[in-house]
Amino acid sequence: MREKKETITQGLPRPSLAKTPTGIRGLDEIVQGGLPKGRVVLVAGGPGSGKTLLAMEFLVRGAIDYGEPGVFVAFEETVEELSCNFVSLGFNLEQLVQEGKLIIDYVHLDRSEMEATGEHNLDGLFVRLGYAIDSIGAKRVVLDTLEMLFAGLPNEGIVRAELQRLFRWLKARGVTAIMTAERGNETLTRYGMEEYVSDCVITLDHRVHEQISTRRLHVLKYRGSTHGTNEYPFLIDEDGISVLPVTSMRLDHAVCTDRISTGIAGLDSMLGGKGIFRGSSVLLSGTAGMGKTTFAASFADGACRRGERVLYLPFEEAPQQIIRNMHAVGLDLAPWVQQGLLNLHAVRPTLYGLEMHLAKIHRLVEDFRPSLVIADPVTNLIAAGTLAESEAMLARLIDWLKSQQISAVFTSLTPGGTALERSQVGISSLMDTWLMLTAIESSGERNRGIQIVKSRGMAHSNQIREFLIGDHGIELCDVYTGPMGVLTGAARFTQEAREEAERVLREQEIKHHRNQLKRKQAVLEAQIAALHAQFEAERSEIDLAIAQAQHLETTLASDRDEMGRLRHGDAASGPQQSEN
């Protein structure tokens, strides 16, 4: 039977329900494009839940963003009261009225007069409302609230009949209408019937749990359309309403292969020499006093130096305190704030609930459009909810930031006496890079070290590097290994001093040996010179004796020649014999 049904419907176009966008942040995403066009929507909630604000913003956004004029019929607040109340939210109702984009009509209903006459129907309202719709060509209508409209009718049957007539009349006019209603004790609304005849039902509530308030929105019913079925926190601030979907994000976001610097040269070197991936998440965990905030500020300073925007969310320090403290270690963040590159938005975690924090961060990111978001420290958020709620909130935040390709840095306080390789909020598994700051205690002192527990998709160092926080920020020291292993702090200084002394002593010994060698060489050279001088003296004497002998021989030969000549003999033939 199922296969037959699929065969019949296969290939046929699926008609889509026409919708009217609300223009309210997040709400159109939840209701898949907007409210049902030309139908009636019921917005129910208790006092202070935001019913009137949601309805009025629906009209204002329609008039400004979509060119659809609207009519607001109030039964409780006057036109002057409404205009004054919405000025603080940036809604200039008087200007919209003057431009013919909005009509606000206050209908005074006196319950005692209605009870006295015993007559009450909606004919007068239809005439009045129809005139207002026709005068500006309204496409949107709000009636605020139904309780006041039917307050004088004790007969439930009459209320039901008039309510159905009102709904039919609005649909016949083709306007998209919102009706607000108070929550009932045992039913959704006071009369318990509006939700059945409405095409779409949205409930609002304002909860206070452990002194922390949270507003939530729930689409209870939506005929003819799919919609988000969860409860969604929404934020009311100076820009109106912002609704944040909290459904699980699908893991199908795009990734980036670009690498960005952490702002610390030594840390970049540990991360393969290129830093982290853009759009990735980084966890900085460690006990108190390890320098987590200084590392986070270094990330921010590095991004601002690249001309990128940074949203810094400190949960325990005021912005001016952070700027002052970082200036003391050579990180001047004030110019980045003045240039609009750094936005320090500090609030206490207990200011509102976790979902409200999430909604607020969404709003800040959408308005500021940063490339880096820093939350310092996220462990403080546990004060605004349970551990499980904190983990769920942070998981949604991490996924959303990744989908926007926004890099994120989260600092996490690790309580003393607990396992270091565990973040208190339990989000380490969601992080792309986990940097652990540890205390290294030796020789009676406590030093700081950093190690990379993990860094997905890149080669990284497995060393524990000592780092110093000085006048020029964070400086990572080279790993120093002594006889007993890696040394830090005073032990390293002592060992370095010992090795320096040994080096100096070795140099002195080498110098002494060289001097001895030079002296020996000098003595040897002197001895050689003396022997050479003696040799020269003796050679001179021998040369003189030889010269004298040769001179004597020459003289003797000359004398013989002379004697021969005197004897008239031939010197060459020798002596002549006498004749006999």
Side-chain angles (χ1 to χ4, degrees), residues 288-355:
M290 285 293 99
K292 297 182 295 296
T293 299
T294 307
F295 268 92
S298 298
F299 272 83
D301 182 71
C304 291
R305 290 182 183 277
R306 296 191 298 270
E308 300 176 2
R309 292 186 176 184
V310 178
L311 175 62
Y312 197 128
L313 305 171
F315 293 119
E316 59 184 13
E317 290 184 88
Q320 293 303 321
Q321 183 178 357
I322 292 177
I323 293 175
R324 181 203 64 188
N325 294 345
M326 294 303 104
H327 187 270
V329 295
L331 294 175
D332 192 2
L333 302 180
W336 307 132
V337 176
Q338 296 170 1
Q339 296 175 27
L341 293 176
L342 177 60
N343 181 8
L344 286 159
H345 184 83
V347 295
R348 285 290 183 186
T350 53
L351 180 62
Y352 28 67
L354 290 172
E355 304 301 343

Side-chain angles (χ1 to χ4, degrees), residues 102-157:
L102 180 65
I103 289 179
I104 303 177
D105 189 9
Y106 170 63
V107 179
H108 176 69
L109 297 176
D110 193 327
R111 181 173 181 176
S112 61
E113 294 179 359
M114 289 185 289
E115 290 177 349
T117 59
E119 297 179 358
H120 180 63
N121 59 48
L122 301 182
D123 291 341
L125 175 64
F126 292 158
V127 173
R128 194 165 179 171
L129 185 56
Y131 175 77
I133 292 173
D134 294 337
S135 62
I136 62 173
K139 301 297 182 181
R140 306 183 182 204
V141 172
V142 170
L143 300 180
D144 183 45
T145 64
L146 289 180
E147 285 72 27
M148 293 298 298
L149 182 60
F150 297 109
L153 294 179
N155 190 325
E156 184 176 328

Side-chain angles (χ1 to χ4, degrees), residues 264-307:
I264 305 169
L267 183 55
D268 288 342
S269 177
M270 293 182 69
L271 292 166
K274 299 179 181 179
I276 63 173
F277 285 114
R278 184 180 296 278
S280 63
S281 54
V282 179
L283 175 65
L284 279 165
S285 66
T287 56
M290 285 293 99
K292 297 182 295 296
T293 299
T294 307
F295 268 92
S298 298
F299 272 83
D301 182 71
C304 291
R305 290 182 183 277
R306 296 191 298 270

